[in-house]
Amino acid sequence: MIYEVTINERIYSVEVARSGPGWHCRIDGREFPLDVVALQNNMLSVQVRGKSYEVKQESTAAETSIIIGRERFGATVRDPRSLRSRRRANGAGAGPKRITAPMPGKVLRILVPAGNAVQAGQGVLVIEAMKMQNELKSPKDGRVKKLNVGEGALVEAGQVLAEVE
Amino acid sequence: MIYEVTINERIYSVEVARSGPGWHCRIDGREFPLDVVALQNNMLSVQVRGKSYEVKQESTAAETSIIIGRERFGATVRDPRSLRSRRRANGAGAGPKRITAPMPGKVLRILVPAGNAVQAGQGVLVIEAMKMQNELKSPKDGRVKKLNVGEGALVEAGQVLAEVE
Amino acid sequence: MFKKVLIANRGEIAVRIIRACKELGISSVAVFSEVDRAALHVTHADEAYPIGPAPATESYLNIPRILEAARRCGADAIHPGYGFLSENARFARACSEAGIKFIGPTASAMELMGSKTRARQAMQIAGVPFVPGSARGLSLAEATDVAAEIGYPVMIKASAGGGGKGMRLVRAAEELKPAFEAAQSEAQRAFQDSEVYLEKLIADPRHIEIQVLGDEHGNLVYLGERECSVQRRHQKVIEEAPSAFVDEDLRRRMGQVAVQVAKAAAYTNAGTVEFLVDQDRNFYFLEMNTRLQVEHPVTELVTGLDLVHLQLRIAAGEKLPFRQADVALQGHAIECRVYAEDPDNSFFPSPGKITQLLRPSGPGVREDSGVYEGWRVPLDYDPLLAKLIVHAPDRATAIARMRRALDEYFVGGIKTNLSLFRRILEHPDFVAARIDTGFLDRLLAAPPRARASANGEVAAVSAALFAAVASGETGGRNGTRPEGAPPASSSQWKTAGRAEGRRTK
Amino acid sequence: MFKKVLIANRGEIAVRIIRACKELGISSVAVFSEVDRAALHVTHADEAYPIGPAPATESYLNIPRILEAARRCGADAIHPGYGFLSENARFARACSEAGIKFIGPTASAMELMGSKTRARQAMQIAGVPFVPGSARGLSLAEATDVAAEIGYPVMIKASAGGGGKGMRLVRAAEELKPAFEAAQSEAQRAFQDSEVYLEKLIADPRHIEIQVLGDEHGNLVYLGERECSVQRRHQKVIEEAPSAFVDEDLRRRMGQVAVQVAKAAAYTNAGTVEFLVDQDRNFYFLEMNTRLQVEHPVTELVTGLDLVHLQLRIAAGEKLPFRQADVALQGHAIECRVYAEDPDNSFFPSPGKITQLLRPSGPGVREDSGVYEGWRVPLDYDPLLAKLIVHAPDRATAIARMRRALDEYFVGGIKTNLSLFRRILEHPDFVAARIDTGFLDRLLAAPPRARASANGEVAAVSAALFAAVASGETGGRNGTRPEGAPPASSSQWKTAGRAEGRRTK
């Protein structure tokens, strides 16, 4: 099975296949000798030429991360054969830009009602959690095309709150 | 839903039903006011008249236990309406008695072949784990009716190794 | 000793106090708001009672509800922890009127120290050194004169304040008016008291505090200092004991002044005297915190004492079990305050469900935690999850040990500030103990230097492997588990080792 | 200091040594047998290499494979931990011949102490006090004479022995022959050496040992004692430091003798001198263990030192960073050895999958663990899972703290001896420190008194609630989880607190 994996903006073509009790891997066409064992849910022990890596996966609504030791990598994995593909919420993309909640919280104020024009960096709405207010800014110049929430609404991290076109 | 629950040889009739966000319970016909919340898998926080209990459930092939603080209770829960009922492997019961493995290990020796007579307390077979040998004894006078394993076999905890009738 | 103690708090400090109660054979009573029913302090306590809705004003600050719970369960004492009602003299008084021992200083000592201006007057009489400035609340006009007299830059502070609220730095005369008014209204909001006063700014000071302990028989001791200069917006982030900047002589002099301060307030139980220390090792009284501090564990580790045990014993009327001469410091301790906040996103709080929790342990590692895997960190309170504290023979080893512990620490599902601690502990100025209260803001102003990683390929391959297993293709879904079975067993992985292991049998 | 250290061990001690390496900036190399591929020491190390099948003789005792791995990865030193090859002089020699530093004493010191009889001769020359008996291996005939001379009861011991193997108590002459032969064959099996010797039995002795530390520049210190009298079949179960039975004077005298012992063997690095102490505080040399002990953490907690750091520094040629006069003891420490064994079923080992692991933490609690939730404890090795160690200002508090920590400790899926520790810690003789090497066997001989429980009804109701949720009726099954979701969220429980909490928003 071949995946297109993006790690910190760099794209790898990764082929993985079972071989006996373990796995056989190729990366960008090259042989990648590894020994892998599952430890817990979302946690692997990967050994490559004697080096030992404890690898964790963390998936939130906002993003998927791969954690190796103290390093955290933003990851996107695409299966060319399927349309199921996880993309980082804040990743680039054509068309209207989305404004997503960086944390769970409560919508305190709407600063720019739907339909109005905004400039890049201008606050669109304010959410609050743990007594801290977070003004969410427009990613680009344009118009607030859509507001998915009203004042007082409880939102989850990664939830799309508004779209700017 | 009414269950017949056996805790340390004492049998309780326990009725549990949802009520709003929580549960409504009766034990042996009496009201049992409690507030219950799930903490983790197989773990509850139960409050009864202000007293706070952290309750764990542990199920092995051999038995089901309820753990409250430092206390461990052997538990059997029977749903009268269904035949699904968990019973402690070493619990009482009519007919032939079973000899089960107290731990995972390897069958080292068969001391009494199937068909032969045994006395209560006489060793029937020996299993080994972590370099320690464990002689499993007959629970009663009788005859080794059945041997489910041979020498060298790997067995799991709770696995029925032999029956004495 | 008390039979039953109610803990009027939540989170790690409530758990820490409950542990002390268990160790002293005291039954512990938790109180909880509606969002905390499943919180760790509730499940750890012997008894637990609801005290209202999520907002602290309706629950953890709700004096009548808390006293009602205490009466109902027959508690003979209440420990307030820190924050919430811990420095509320009215609460202390209400407790004693209800015949329940408040574990802390007397209401009058709290009131004296609670008003910075009254405290300053009392301390000046006691001959305690002060930062030049006004001893009392000021009008804008008075402030202008005092500022001119002592010279800019100056600090404006709230008389009832603490934790940086109602504080403003003023570099020049023209900044005074707006800053003064902002400070007043902030103080009004935070403490229902708009009184502010004025102090000369000490350049690049260190924040160093002395732990004091007094019994109810007139015995007072100091337990060495804590170095608390690593702060973000006047909030402590990392604390140490001892301070690399403090030598035996300075420690003794600061300690003796701290004891004078406590004496002047007829202080009992645990308290902390905060000082500003300038580059020439002059020290100035800041304030006295009339409660147990968040950072008390670093003092416990270097003194070998248990401050909460001692608080309980003292409140129960026991004498201090040791004298000043018996207090000896051993090794070095560092504490990191682990918060649910995102250091990569201007430290916005990050409440939510903790999906995975891997906790550090081993030699010299202590974790005082208020959370567990599967728990949802509520939006409603201070986002402190846990305190990670290490103890080692010397400071360099303590830093190395903390780095090791941080590498073992993983909190999945929410953002935490763990990565911030790595940055701090690797910073040459911190390693060399060249720290003042401006250190962390300077560090944060500089962008974190991104190292090129050698592990990109391993990350890429791992991501693909996770995906391959998660995909239906190999059957089952990563994350689903058969009843009772632990993760590894049910995941799609063939664990090579084990498979071969079986073959050898 | 070394660049790269290979740890020729597994389990908690391998993890503990890896942690020390990380703290000293040394890269760590694990080795593992086929059943240990997923073990904690493998995942914690920077590098890891397979060294053969499950049986220790083919892996962790496999000198060629281990040296091959060390050469392959370029390790400049090997730490043997305890057990396995830690006291194998041949291995130590093979290491130095391979140009790899063995972290421990010299091979010759190990050989001297490895033979009880040679050690005894050397120590007698050094004037070390001994239990009356034979200094060398005996024939049955000689044994009969010696026994008659020193008087019964006597102990038969294996010259190459340790851990109680090849040991026999003989109360009267007629028991001598069978016991002697049994000891010989057991010694032959265990150590490929049937030589045994004979000693007078000391009635109700305590087992107290002294930690010594020597650098390679002739400096030797002792780090106080450890009380190890709580044993089952000559295996330590609980250890303490200091011993309640040892006063300043006895500590100094035993310490000085221990240093003499080490000097007589030209001993370097960490070692332990074991003594029997009788009721009149006479002490007799038992043996010297030429390795790091399982119970070394209790010494670390009361001295504030890190013994593994010191082992590495000493092996790297550094001088001891302190003198005897600098060694001060602070507080009291207790260690419990947590085994995968069933105390209710004559301590049969209980390997298998750890389905749930709740670990104690908080003030004064240290856990040195070699396991994690979801891991399968293999059948093939010593069933030590972890060591739980507490530190407190005094012994009474340490006992209370250990009880508290034990209540927080839960290992699901396998049996452990945690309940045994509760029995011991509640026993009046242990609490009063009236312990000798027979204490635990006496305790175990008495049936545990079953308290009537007040919690039967709560248990019954809980069992029913678990069943109700597990049953399909309410939809879903307890234990199944939606992808990535943590337990609480997906279980069928309505968490009242949270539900109401939301309503308040």
Side-chain angles (χ1 to χ4, degrees):
Chain A
M1 191 148 177
I2 299 180
Y3 292 95
E4 178 193 297
V5 182
T6 311
I7 296 288
N8 294 355
E9 280 64 62
R10 166 114 157 64
I11 297 177
Y12 302 84
S13 160
V14 182
E15 180 178 357
V16 296
R18 298 193 169 287
S19 74
W23 290 76
H24 178 88
C25 297
R26 298 172 64 81
I27 184 161
D28 296 340
R30 279 175 297 102
E31 203 55 43
F32 195 78
L34 92 174
D35 177 34
V36 59
V37 171
L39 303 176
Q40 307 180 33
N41 210 7
N42 292 316
M43 210 165 144
L44 306 177
S45 167
V46 176
Q47 292 180 7
V48 183
R49 300 185 196 88
K51 294 257 174 294
S52 177
Y53 305 89
E54 193 179 76
V55 184
K56 305 181 195 78
Q57 176 180 253
E58 187 182 8
S59 297
T60 69
E63 61 190 328
T64 292
S65 305
I66 298 293
I67 298 98
I68 302 178
R70 71 194 65 174
E71 286 185 288
R72 175 178 285 264
F73 301 87
T76 315
V77 179
R78 311 186 62 171
D79 174 356
R81 297 176 333 183
S82 77
L83 289 178
R84 279 195 300 84
S85 71
R86 285 169 288 168
R87 188 183 292 100
R88 296 177 66 175
N90 55 352
K97 285 262 202 322
R98 284 117 100 257
I99 296 175
T100 56
M103 58 178 176
K106 185 199 229 156
V107 176
L108 209 65
R109 276 190 308 286
I110 304 291
L111 304 174
V112 183
N116 292 41
V118 284
Q119 288 154 15
Q122 179 184 349
V124 175
L125 38 72
V126 179
I127 65 178
E128 178 186 71
M130 291 163 166
K131 312 274 156 276
M132 256 198 76
Q133 301 187 5
N134 177 3
E135 184 174 286
L136 302 181
K137 300 176 169 47
S138 172
K140 59 188 264 193
D141 294 348
R143 197 176 59 82
V144 176
K145 180 188 171 200
K146 197 139 135 280
L147 265 177
N148 304 326
V149 292
E151 296 190 350
L154 289 178
V155 298
E156 288 298 316
Q159 184 175 334
V160 177
L161 308 179
E163 285 188 22
V164 179
E165 67 176 5
Chain B
M1 194 149 171
I2 298 181
Y3 293 95
E4 178 193 297
V5 183
T6 311
I7 296 288
N8 293 353
E9 280 65 65
R10 165 112 158 65
I11 298 177
Y12 302 85
S13 161
V14 182
E15 180 177 359
V16 297
R18 296 192 172 290
S19 74
W23 291 75
H24 178 89
C25 297
R26 298 173 64 81
I27 185 162
D28 296 341
R30 279 175 297 103
E31 203 54 44
F32 196 77
L34 92 174
D35 177 35
V36 60
V37 170
L39 303 177
Q40 307 179 33
N41 209 9
N42 291 316
M43 211 164 144
L44 306 177
S45 166
V46 176
Q47 292 180 6
V48 184
R49 301 185 196 86
K51 294 256 174 295
S52 177
Y53 305 90
E54 192 180 78
V55 184
K56 305 182 195 77
Q57 176 179 251
E58 187 183 8
S59 298
T60 69
E63 60 191 327
T64 291
S65 304
I66 298 293
I67 298 101
I68 301 178
R70 72 194 65 175
E71 286 185 289
R72 177 178 284 265
F73 301 87
T76 316
V77 179
R78 311 185 63 172
D79 174 357
R81 300 176 330 184
S82 78
L83 290 175
R84 276 195 303 85
S85 70
R86 286 169 289 168
R87 190 184 290 99
R88 297 177 65 176
N90 57 349
K97 285 264 202 317
R98 286 117 102 254
I99 297 176
T100 56
M103 57 177 177
K106 185 199 225 157
V107 176
L108 210 64
R109 276 191 308 285
I110 304 292
L111 304 173
V112 183
N116 293 39
V118 284
Q119 287 155 14
Q122 180 184 346
V124 176
L125 38 71
V126 180
I127 64 179
E128 178 185 71
M130 292 164 165
K131 313 278 158 276
M132 257 198 78
Q133 301 187 4
N134 176 4
E135 185 174 286
L136 302 182
K137 301 176 167 47
S138 173
K140 58 186 266 193
D141 293 348
R143 195 175 61 83
V144 176
K145 180 190 173 197
K146 197 138 135 281
L147 266 177
N148 303 328
V149 292
E151 297 190 350
L154 289 178
V155 298
E156 288 297 318
Q159 185 176 334
V160 178
L161 308 178
E163 284 189 21
V164 179
E165 65 173 12
Chain C
M1 180 46 73
F2 304 114
K3 298 256 167 308
K4 187 183 283 191
V5 170
L6 181 144
I7 296 92
N9 214 302
R10 66 181 299 282
E12 68 85 19
I13 191 61
V15 173
R16 191 259 177 275
I17 295 163
I18 288 165
R19 282 170 165 155
C21 289
K22 288 184 191 288
E23 291 171 359
L24 291 173
I26 301 166
S27 52
S28 53
V29 181
V31 292
F32 59 93
S33 75
E34 284 162 350
V35 289
D36 273 343
R37 168 63 182 86
L40 198 63
H41 75 285
V42 174
T43 62
H44 267 42
D46 298 320
E47 299 178 38
Y49 298 92
I51 51 168
T57 49
E58 302 177 53
S59 50
Y60 298 105
L61 292 172
N62 186 334
I63 295 179
R65 288 296 298 271
I66 291 170
L67 286 178
E68 178 203 335
R71 272 189 295 264
R72 178 171 158 200
C73 69
D76 43 14
I78 292 182
H79 196 306
Y82 53 69
F84 292 127
L85 295 169
S86 59
E87 298 185 275
N88 183 316
R90 255 179 51 255
F91 180 58
R93 230 179 229 106
C95 288
S96 39
E97 281 159 7
I100 298 169
K101 177 75 178 185
F102 176 86
I103 297 169
T106 60
S108 52
M110 288 163 74
E111 278 160 345
L112 174 63
M113 291 304 182
S115 156
K116 286 220 178 48
T117 46
R118 280 189 52 207
R120 187 182 179 105
Q121 289 151 2
M123 293 313 128
Q124 278 177 326
I125 293 162
V128 174
F130 273 90
V131 174
S134 73
R136 47 177 195 72
L138 298 172
S139 68
L140 177 53
E142 297 169 310
T144 317
D145 301 343
V146 175
E149 173 194 326
I150 63 177
Y152 289 91
V154 299
M155 289 294 292
I156 301 173
K157 297 183 176 182
S159 298
K165 288 217 174 48
M167 255 197 213
R168 287 291 186 285
L169 165 61
V170 185
R171 301 193 174 284
E174 59 274 22
E175 295 175 10
L176 185 61
K177 184 166 185 299
F180 189 88
E181 284 155 357
Q184 275 186 321
S185 55
E186 192 172 312
Q188 181 60 40
R189 278 200 309 283
F191 317 110
Q192 293 74 48
D193 174 359
S194 67
E195 185 179 274
V196 299
Y197 65 100
L198 202 130
E199 266 178 7
K200 181 161 184 55
L201 175 79
I202 305 297
D204 304 333
R206 287 170 177 258
H207 177 124
I208 298 176
E209 59 188 26
I210 301 284
Q211 176 72 52
V212 298
L213 203 58
D215 63 22
E216 299 177 353
H217 309 275
N219 304 305
L220 268 163
V221 297
Y222 63 91
L223 303 179
E225 79 283 4
R226 289 184 292 256
E227 165 67 72
C228 308
S229 299
V230 179
Q231 307 183 350
R232 192 177 73 84
R233 300 182 180 167
H234 304 287
Q235 295 285 2
K236 298 164 186 169
V237 172
I238 289 185
E239 302 96 350
E240 307 178 56
S243 166
F245 192 66
V246 174
D247 56 26
E248 259 317 318
D249 169 63
L250 181 58
R251 178 172 300 119
R252 198 185 58 260
R253 289 189 290 119
M254 290 178 74
Q256 285 165 351
V257 168
V259 167
Q260 277 171 40
V261 168
K263 273 214 173 68
Y267 198 86
T268 52
N269 216 291
T272 295
V273 181
E274 297 190 331
F275 294 100
L276 274 190
V277 182
D278 70 18
Q279 298 305 316
D280 310 322
R281 290 192 165 71
N282 302 310
F283 58 92
Y284 309 95
F285 175 77
L286 265 185
E287 62 173 325
M288 180 169 194
N289 296 321
T290 59
R291 57 160 199 274
L292 185 69
Q293 300 278 87
V294 175
E295 60 270 24
H296 73 276
V298 294
T299 297
E300 294 183 317
L301 287 171
V302 295
T303 60
L305 300 170
D306 188 304
L307 292 180
V308 178
H309 283 207
L310 289 164
Q311 280 193 297
L312 288 157
R313 295 186 179 286
I314 287 168
E318 294 185 21
K319 285 203 165 85
L320 275 180
F322 56 86
R323 273 170 283 87
Q324 186 65 57
D326 304 325
V327 178
L329 304 186
Q330 189 178 74
H332 194 92
I334 302 178
E335 169 178 284
C336 291
R337 299 187 182 192
V338 182
Y339 281 100
E341 61 185 17
D342 185 355
D344 303 328
N345 185 13
S346 36
F347 295 92
F348 286 130
S350 173
K353 174 99 51 188
I354 296 174
T355 55
Q356 192 174 15
L357 183 58
L358 302 176
R359 295 162 41 207
S361 59
V365 174
R366 165 176 170 181
E367 190 203 14
D368 280 18
S369 173
V371 303
Y372 58 89
E373 184 172 306
W375 189 56
R376 178 180 293 274
V377 181
L379 291 65
D380 309 274
Y381 312 105
D382 176 83
L384 180 67
L385 299 175
K387 298 179 312 199
L388 177 58
I389 315 106
V390 299
H391 187 216
D394 53 64
R395 186 171 188 267
T397 310
I399 292 173
R401 176 158 287 167
M402 181 60 88
R403 287 193 197 135
R404 187 268 295 174
L406 288 168
D407 288 346
E408 294 180 8
Y409 213 153
F410 180 71
V411 183
I414 60 175
K415 296 286 200 302
T416 71
N417 59 346
L418 287 172
S419 61
L420 171 66
F421 298 125
R422 296 202 183 96
R423 278 185 71 187
I424 295 171
L425 292 168
E426 286 163 7
H427 194 289
D429 286 347
F430 183 86
V431 171
R434 285 190 303 265
I435 45 178
D436 58 62
T437 54
F439 162 76
L440 185 49
D441 293 334
R442 289 194 300 274
L443 177 146
L444 290 171
R449 49 174 175 70
R451 310 183 190 60
S453 169
N455 295 334
E457 291 196 341
V458 176
V461 170
S462 301
L465 288 166
F466 278 119
V469 170
S471 75
E473 178 173 272
T474 52
R477 268 165 41 258
N478 192 14
T480 11
R481 305 174 183 180
E483 192 163 33
S489 75
S490 63
S491 79
Q492 289 308 303
W493 304 100
K494 264 272 182 306
T495 61
R498 254 180 244 136
E500 291 155 19
R502 289 223 187 69
R503 270 191 248 105
T504 69
K505 298 235 175 39
Chain D
M1 180 47 74
F2 304 114
K3 298 255 166 309
K4 188 182 282 190
V5 170
L6 181 145
I7 297 93
N9 214 303
R10 66 181 300 281
E12 67 84 20
I13 191 60
V15 173
R16 192 258 176 278
I17 295 163
I18 288 166
R19 282 171 165 153
C21 288
K22 288 183 192 288
E23 291 170 0
L24 291 173
I26 301 166
S27 50
S28 54
V29 182
V31 291
F32 59 93
S33 76
E34 284 162 353
V35 289
D36 273 345
R37 168 62 183 87
L40 197 64
H41 75 285
V42 174
T43 61
H44 268 41
D46 298 318
E47 299 178 40
Y49 299 92
I51 52 167
T57 48
E58 302 175 53
S59 50
Y60 298 104
L61 292 172
N62 186 336
I63 296 179
R65 285 296 297 271
I66 290 169
L67 288 178
E68 179 203 334
R71 270 188 296 266
R72 181 172 157 198
C73 68
D76 43 14
I78 293 182
H79 196 307
Y82 53 69
F84 292 128
L85 295 169
S86 59
E87 297 185 278
N88 183 316
R90 253 179 52 254
F91 180 58
R93 253 203 198 85
C95 288
S96 37
E97 281 158 9
I100 298 168
K101 178 74 178 187
F102 176 87
I103 297 168
T106 60
S108 52
M110 288 165 73
E111 279 161 343
L112 173 62
M113 291 304 182
S115 156
K116 286 221 177 48
T117 47
R118 279 187 55 205
R120 187 183 179 105
Q121 288 153 3
M123 293 313 128
Q124 276 177 328
I125 292 162
V128 174
F130 273 90
V131 175
S134 71
R136 46 178 195 73
L138 298 172
S139 67
L140 176 53
E142 296 169 309
T144 318
D145 301 344
V146 175
E149 174 191 325
I150 63 176
Y152 288 91
V154 299
M155 288 294 291
I156 302 173
K157 297 184 176 182
S159 299
K165 288 215 172 49
M167 258 198 208
R168 287 291 186 284
L169 165 62
V170 186
R171 301 193 174 284
E174 59 272 23
E175 296 175 7
L176 184 63
K177 184 167 184 299
F180 189 89
E181 284 155 357
Q184 276 186 320
S185 55
E186 193 171 312
Q188 181 59 44
R189 277 200 310 283
F191 317 110
Q192 293 74 49
D193 174 358
S194 68
E195 186 177 272
V196 298
Y197 65 101
L198 202 132
E199 266 178 7
K200 180 158 184 60
L201 175 81
I202 305 297
D204 305 332
R206 287 168 177 260
H207 177 123
I208 298 176
E209 60 189 24
I210 301 284
Q211 176 71 53
V212 297
L213 202 57
D215 63 22
E216 299 178 351
H217 309 276
N219 304 305
L220 268 164
V221 296
Y222 62 91
L223 303 179
E225 78 282 5
R226 289 184 292 256
E227 165 67 73
C228 307
S229 299
V230 179
Q231 307 181 350
R232 191 177 72 84
R233 300 184 179 166
H234 304 286
Q235 295 285 3
K236 298 163 187 170
V237 173
I238 289 185
E239 302 96 348
E240 306 177 57
S243 166
F245 192 67
V246 175
D247 55 26
E248 260 318 318
D249 169 63
L250 181 57
R251 179 170 301 121
R252 199 185 58 259
R253 289 188 291 119
M254 290 178 74
Q256 284 163 351
V257 168
V259 167
Q260 276 171 42
V261 167
K263 273 214 173 68
Y267 197 85
T268 52
N269 215 291
T272 295
V273 182
E274 297 190 332
F275 294 99
L276 273 189
V277 182
D278 69 19
Q279 299 304 315
D280 310 321
R281 290 191 165 74
N282 302 310
F283 59 93
Y284 310 95
F285 175 77
L286 264 184
E287 61 173 325
M288 180 168 194
N289 297 320
T290 58
R291 58 158 197 274
L292 185 70
Q293 300 277 89
V294 176
E295 59 271 25
H296 73 277
V298 293
T299 297
E300 292 184 317
L301 288 171
V302 295
T303 58
L305 300 170
D306 187 305
L307 292 179
V308 178
H309 283 205
L310 289 164
Q311 280 193 297
L312 288 158
R313 295 186 178 286
I314 288 168
E318 295 184 20
K319 287 203 163 90
L320 275 179
F322 55 86
R323 273 169 285 86
Q324 186 66 56
D326 305 324
V327 177
L329 305 186
Q330 190 178 72
H332 194 92
I334 302 178
E335 170 178 282
C336 291
R337 299 187 183 192
V338 181
Y339 281 100
E341 60 185 17
D342 185 355
D344 303 327
N345 185 12
S346 38
F347 295 93
F348 286 127
S350 173
K353 173 101 51 188
I354 296 174
T355 55
Q356 192 174 13
L357 183 59
L358 302 176
R359 296 161 42 206
S361 59
V365 174
R366 166 176 170 181
E367 190 203 15
D368 280 18
S369 172
V371 303
Y372 59 88
E373 183 173 306
W375 189 56
R376 178 180 293 274
V377 181
L379 293 66
D380 309 274
Y381 311 105
D382 177 83
L384 180 66
L385 298 175
K387 299 178 313 201
L388 177 58
I389 315 109
V390 298
H391 186 216
D394 52 63
R395 187 171 187 268
T397 309
I399 291 173
R401 176 157 287 168
M402 181 61 88
R403 286 194 196 133
R404 187 269 294 175
L406 288 168
D407 288 347
E408 294 179 10
Y409 213 153
F410 179 71
V411 183
I414 60 175
K415 295 285 201 303
T416 70
N417 59 345
L418 287 172
S419 60
L420 171 67
F421 298 124
R422 295 202 183 96
R423 279 186 71 187
I424 294 171
L425 291 169
E426 285 164 8
H427 194 288
D429 286 347
F430 183 86
V431 171
R434 285 190 303 266
I435 44 179
D436 58 61
T437 54
F439 162 76
L440 184 50
D441 293 334
R442 289 194 299 275
L443 177 147
L444 290 171
R449 49 173 176 70
R451 312 184 189 57
S453 169
N455 296 334
E457 292 196 339
V458 176
V461 169
S462 301
L465 288 166
F466 278 119
V469 170
S471 76
E473 178 173 89
T474 52
R477 270 164 40 257
N478 191 12
T480 12
R481 304 174 184 182
E483 191 162 37
S489 77
S490 62
S491 79
Q492 289 308 301
W493 305 100
K494 264 274 182 307
T495 61
R498 251 178 249 138
E500 292 154 20
R502 288 222 189 69
R503 270 191 249 105
T504 69
K505 297 227 180 41

